[in-house]
Amino acid sequence: MKTILVTGGTGFLGSNLCIRLIKEGNRVICVDNNYTGRLQNVAEIMNNPNFRFIEHDICEPLNVNDEKLDQIYNMACPASPPAYQGSYSIKTTKTCVLGAINMLELAKQHGATILQTSTSEVYGEPLVHPQVESYRGNVNPIGIRACYDEGKRCAESLFFDYHRHEGVDIKVIRIFNTYGPKMDPNDGRVVSNFICQALSGQDITIYGDGSQTRSFCYVDDLIEAMIRMMNSKKGFTGPVNTGNPGEFTIKELAEKVVAKIGGNSKIVYKALPKDDPSQRRPDITLAKHKLDWEPKIKLDEGLDKTIEYFKTQIDLFKKA
Ligand code: UDP
């Protein structure tokens, strides 16, 4: 049994990870300020004796003196563009940067391995396609996505400096678009928006002309990659791309969702937000080679599972 701390543990990915780690017999300490996470995401493990929830904002230092930590997954951060571009923008940079420092200090104190959930956003509007880890990206440092993109880039830099200068055992993954159960119906991301709009008979909102692409990974595949990376050979730091290389236009996604759910929803077109990347697809050669990992769940299968989940959540979806 390992003692594992997960920041952002009540969020979409964090809660899926906590549940899997508990099922595998670990002791899990879930840390979240619940700004964008939801306690209901961990309701099924809340009373498990191996699970502990600490309400805490990682912008502040965290001491864990009563338990020895083996591993830390640093996942806390608003991750949906409407969340980090709105009132949480400055908080997003602080969470990335101060949060990384505080969690790296905690890892150093405990001699724990720490995994950073970085992002495909470090590539910005990519001029290399598909994106390989050696590509340094094309980020607008003063744009509306910069709080997240530059925050995550700075966090990567902090991780590598703590590794070089403080000997901290680090692992860095770059997560591409991921979807599945426990997404917040109101967080504004494309998969949750399209499914909830179709289920509630509203128009499906495509931003721009829908020709931009994304590559969507089902959450169970992503969690598997995270755990493999955390437990990879000592000294292997990454960064490693984790995502599904199946690439779709946003229009194709909308059409798939409409075909699956039916109903009266029409597709409507709205303005494309600034700096919205036109294409994204991970090159996962490194993950295949180092982690013996590749996604197994195709978009159609994953969407079916996600639609079933959102049917149980539809009362929570804000009507436009
Ligand atoms: N998008 C859209 N309609 C929506 C929400 C998002 O067309 O209701 C587009 C968005 O402009 C972007 C893509 O879908 O091009 C993915 O957006 P998301 O917010 O899910 O994640 P991103 O990859 O931009 O971080």
Side-chain angles (χ1 to χ4, degrees):
M1 177 197 265
K2 291 195 174 77
T3 300
I4 304 173
L5 186 136
V6 178
T7 77
T10 65
F12 161 47
L13 292 180
S15 58
N16 276 285
L17 177 67
C18 287
I19 291 165
R20 164 103 187 245
L21 294 173
I22 285 285
K23 278 191 188 144
E24 291 179 352
N26 297 290
R27 168 114 182 101
V28 173
I29 303 174
C30 167
V31 175
D32 209 303
N33 60 6
N34 296 324
Y35 276 28
T36 56
R38 299 178 299 161
L39 272 181
Q40 70 182 72
N41 282 342
V42 289
E44 67 201 77
I45 50 172
M46 199 47 120
N47 294 325
N48 187 300
N50 286 329
F51 182 77
R52 171 175 165 199
F53 173 68
I54 302 177
E55 186 169 343
H56 179 83
D57 182 338
I58 62 163
C59 292
E60 304 298 328
L62 176 67
N63 289 315
V64 179
N65 296 324
D66 50 348
E67 301 194 59
K68 161 86 177 67
L69 303 176
D70 299 303
Q71 298 180 337
I72 300 172
Y73 288 86
N74 187 37
M75 307 178 73
C77 191
S80 116
Y84 65 66
Q85 290 167 10
S87 52
Y88 288 146
S89 58
I90 294 166
K91 186 72 182 168
T92 297
T93 307
K94 285 184 176 169
T95 305
C96 289
V97 176
L98 300 176
I101 294 171
N102 289 327
M103 292 308 108
L104 284 159
E105 287 291 334
L106 187 64
K108 190 174 122 183
Q109 274 167 28
H110 284 256
T113 304
I114 181 165
L115 181 143
Q116 169 67 359
T117 50
S118 190
T119 169
S120 56
E121 285 289 316
V122 301
Y123 302 122
E125 168 63 11
L127 304 176
V128 167
H129 192 72
Q131 290 77 58
V132 281
E133 289 85 352
S134 54
Y135 176 50
R136 292 182 187 175
N138 178 31
V139 172
N140 173 4
I142 58 167
I144 55 174
R145 296 177 88 99
C147 58
Y148 186 73
D149 301 9
E150 298 290 14
K152 289 282 186 177
R153 287 170 68 96
C154 183
E156 285 199 15
S157 134
L158 284 162
F159 267 68
F160 278 85
D161 279 333
Y162 267 80
H163 177 62
R164 280 187 286 260
H165 302 298
E166 306 284 348
V168 175
D169 187 20
I170 63 156
K171 309 278 177 191
V172 177
I173 59 169
R174 292 179 178 156
I175 300 176
F176 285 65
N177 296 66
T178 304
Y179 68 100
K182 301 204 186 291
M183 290 184 99
D184 181 342
N186 293 309
D187 85 356
R189 268 180 280 201
V190 69
V191 173
S192 46
N193 270 10
F194 285 1
I195 294 176
C196 292
Q197 287 163 342
L199 287 175
S200 57
Q202 296 178 52
D203 292 342
I204 311 280
T205 53
I206 290 184
Y207 304 156
D209 63 4
S211 64
Q212 70 271 37
T213 68
R214 294 293 186 271
S215 303
F216 299 100
C217 187
Y218 187 68
V219 60
D220 291 357
D221 281 331
L222 200 277
I223 298 297
E224 178 65 29
M226 288 182 69
I227 292 176
R228 285 185 186 220
M229 181 62 179
M230 175 60 100
N231 296 292
S232 63
K233 213 166 144 212
K234 197 169 160 65
F236 177 60
T237 58
V240 179
N241 287 338
T242 52
N244 191 321
E247 183 180 2
F248 297 85
T249 66
I250 294 305
K251 188 154 184 258
E252 283 170 333
L253 177 72
E255 287 164 354
K256 265 188 191 297
V257 169
V258 170
K260 283 181 184 296
I261 297 177
N264 300 323
S265 299
K266 294 192 309 292
I267 292 181
V268 297
Y269 292 86
K270 301 223 163 171
L272 185 69
K274 278 210 174 74
D275 291 338
D276 197 287
S278 52
Q279 54 182 2
R280 266 215 217 114
R281 174 185 184 173
D283 180 318
I284 59 163
T285 309
L286 188 64
K288 280 186 188 162
H289 177 61
K290 292 284 188 182
L291 310 178
D292 190 24
W293 173 86
E294 66 183 312
K296 295 196 164 48
I297 300 171
K298 298 243 179 333
L299 183 59
D300 274 305
E301 186 189 347
L303 281 179
D304 290 341
K305 291 174 191 256
T306 308
I307 290 168
E308 287 314 304
Y309 161 74
F310 276 119
K311 282 184 183 164
T312 69
Q313 302 287 305
I314 197 65
D315 291 346
L316 298 177
F317 181 56
K318 273 190 225 129
K319 303 278 184 267

